Amino acid sequence: MNEKAYYEDVNLKNELKLREMLKKMPAFCKQFFIGIEPRTSSRTRLAYAYDLDTFFDYLKQNNPLLKTVDVTSLPLSILNQITPQDIEEYLFYLKYYEKDGVAHANDERGIKRKLASLRTFYRYLYKNEMIENDPAIKVDMPKIHDKTIVRLDADEVALLLDVVESGENLTARQQIYHEKTKKRDLAILTLLLGTGIRVSECVGLDLDDVDFKNNGIKIHRKGGAEVIVYFGDEVRQALLGYMEERNQIEALDGSTNALFLSLKKSRINVRSVENLVKKYAKLVTSLKNITPHKLRSTYGTALYRETGDIYLVADVLGHKDVNTTKKHYAAIEDDRRRSAAKFVHLREDN
């Protein structure tokens, strides 16, 4: 029996989770998820489900007429009674609330995402004439305040890779595991820093996704597109060093084709990669909270500084909209504009 590709397995699990969630949601939600399926990823649909579940739970808890009504029995007509002001109150509620004794909080980005989910939901129902009005479109998106982009400097990148190779300053317990994983860890961090791929794309790599003849890896992007990303000699050497070890490991069923394995001989997961990045990065910098995504930003910054080509950076990182890339690298853009001042001389020096 052929092994499922990582992304196929993820899609299947997300779809099963979504179906379980739909059992607890109003019946009319099912048509929405069927309708958006052709143009959305399984991950996006699952995120919509979590956001809508929060919205319907809010309606039930905060509307006296609905307190005794089971969420699954909420009528579609209830959506026609929602006003823009009701949605604004919901967004205010999202800043901090408690559910089942657990406190939840959302920053401006979390609130914006939940409003975006609600807008998509209402837009679909209104477009398909299932409801009479669309109040969500009348609610302004929260203003997002820019955050400083955290990335590693060039000297920190070199130091990070040195630490992975040597294991210096790791605890005694960490040293024991380090001897077993250092080639794998070096390959993973070098690959993330040398290609800018997402952590999910990294853990999803199979052995036959690596092409050493052309120095490329085949990855599946968030939206489902299959692309080839190319790597340099440093990444090549790190991968070859790990492959010698990987070829000697007999992986568990279901992971026999996985490139990166855990100590349990199954495909390494996203959380494990996040933890190993955090472990090594803390030895390099205590001020920066380095995650796999920050390594992606580090790569994008280095590539843009070397090429000055924002479209190339957007393409390699898999950004569908170049404006997303520009937003992340605006500070570097400003540095480049400042440097222009020294290149044009109006008079020769005396």
Side-chain angles (χ1 to χ4, degrees):
M1 183 176 177
N2 291 333
E3 248 179 51
K4 283 190 180 70
Y6 173 77
Y7 73 95
E8 292 175 328
D9 193 46
V10 168
N11 286 340
L12 177 59
K13 289 176 180 176
N14 286 344
E15 192 61 40
L16 292 175
K17 286 180 185 176
L18 176 59
R19 291 183 183 184
E20 284 302 308
M21 290 198 69
L22 280 173
K23 293 177 182 178
K24 302 183 295 181
M25 298 174 71
F28 54 80
C29 290
K30 183 177 181 180
Q31 183 56 49
F32 165 69
F33 286 102
I34 291 174
I36 66 171
E37 192 273 336
R39 62 181 187 279
T40 56
S41 68
S42 64
R43 180 183 177 186
T44 296
R45 292 193 295 280
L46 189 59
Y48 282 158
Y50 283 122
D51 291 343
L52 292 176
D53 181 64
T54 301
F55 176 65
F56 289 119
D57 184 70
Y58 167 79
L59 291 184
K60 177 177 169 58
Q61 298 301 325
N62 292 273
N63 188 322
L65 299 177
L66 301 177
K67 282 191 178 292
T68 59
V69 179
D70 189 274
V71 170
T72 58
S73 300
L74 288 176
L76 181 59
S77 59
I78 193 70
L79 295 180
N80 283 318
Q81 300 172 32
I82 303 295
T83 67
Q85 290 72 33
D86 292 328
I87 295 177
E88 288 172 348
E89 288 184 16
Y90 166 61
L91 299 182
F92 181 76
Y93 158 86
L94 287 173
K95 291 183 177 180
Y96 178 85
Y97 64 97
E98 291 188 10
K99 182 178 179 182
D100 300 328
V102 179
H104 299 268
N106 284 276
D107 60 12
E108 54 195 14
R109 283 174 171 77
I111 292 172
K112 181 176 181 178
R113 194 199 76 184
K114 286 180 171 57
L115 177 55
S117 297
L118 204 55
R119 278 186 166 189
T120 302
F121 181 60
Y122 261 100
R123 181 168 61 247
Y124 175 84
L125 298 180
Y126 182 69
K127 178 182 176 182
N128 288 276
E129 300 180 347
M130 296 172 68
I131 55 176
E132 297 171 1
N133 57 74
D134 180 0
I137 195 64
K138 299 177 182 178
V139 179
D140 293 333
M141 280 290 185
K143 179 178 175 59
I144 302 296
H145 296 87
D146 292 334
K147 289 184 177 180
T148 302
I149 302 299
V150 177
R151 54 178 74 86
L152 291 172
D153 298 328
D155 59 331
E156 291 173 328
V157 169
L159 184 56
L160 177 64
L161 296 178
D162 287 345
V163 166
V164 178
E165 279 190 310
S166 68
E168 188 178 351
N169 295 325
L170 290 173
T171 66
R173 180 178 175 79
Q174 288 174 332
Q175 288 277 5
I176 296 173
Y177 290 106
H178 178 257
E179 286 303 311
K180 300 176 182 177
T181 66
K182 64 180 178 182
K183 287 188 178 180
R184 182 204 67 185
D185 295 352
L186 182 63
I188 289 175
L189 267 76
T190 305
L191 182 63
L192 292 173
L193 284 163
T195 62
I197 62 174
R198 297 177 176 88
V199 63
S200 59
E201 295 164 351
C202 176
V203 302
L205 286 170
D206 287 332
L207 291 168
D208 52 12
D209 288 332
V210 185
D211 175 10
F212 285 110
K213 181 180 178 181
N214 297 295
N215 280 8
I217 51 173
K218 180 175 67 179
I219 62 171
H220 292 269
R221 292 295 194 194
K222 276 199 310 185
E226 187 177 277
V227 300
I228 304 296
V229 173
Y230 297 95
F231 52 79
D233 288 339
E234 290 174 291
V235 175
R236 177 187 174 86
Q237 292 307 313
L239 286 174
L240 284 172
Y242 169 66
M243 288 299 291
E244 292 178 6
E245 186 177 90
R246 172 65 182 87
N247 289 333
Q248 303 303 313
I249 303 173
E250 188 173 340
L252 297 179
D253 288 347
S255 298
T256 55
N257 200 30
L259 175 60
F260 295 116
L261 299 175
S262 70
L263 286 173
K264 295 180 179 179
K265 300 183 181 180
S266 60
R267 185 186 295 274
I268 197 169
N269 59 38
V270 169
R271 177 61 61 85
S272 294
V273 175
E274 289 172 342
N275 287 340
L276 74 88
V277 168
K278 182 178 180 180
K279 176 181 71 175
Y280 292 117
K282 285 177 70 174
L283 300 176
V284 174
T285 172
S286 58
L287 297 179
K288 299 176 182 177
N289 179 28
I290 301 300
T291 64
H293 193 75
K294 301 301 189 297
L295 301 186
R296 182 169 155 81
S297 295
T298 298
Y299 170 80
T301 300
L303 181 61
Y304 185 58
R305 281 195 167 127
E306 287 296 320
T307 66
D309 189 341
I310 199 70
Y311 291 95
L312 173 63
V313 177
D315 183 48
V316 174
L317 291 181
H319 291 164
K320 292 181 179 179
D321 185 353
V322 74
N323 289 318
T324 301
T325 319
K326 286 181 178 178
K327 179 177 65 177
H328 283 85
Y329 302 101
I332 307 173
E333 192 102 307
D334 187 61
D335 286 345
R336 290 175 61 81
R337 283 196 295 268
R338 286 176 183 273
S339 70
K342 66 184 179 184
F343 294 120
V344 177
H345 302 281
L346 303 182
R347 297 184 183 185
E348 293 186 8
D349 294 336
N350 293 327

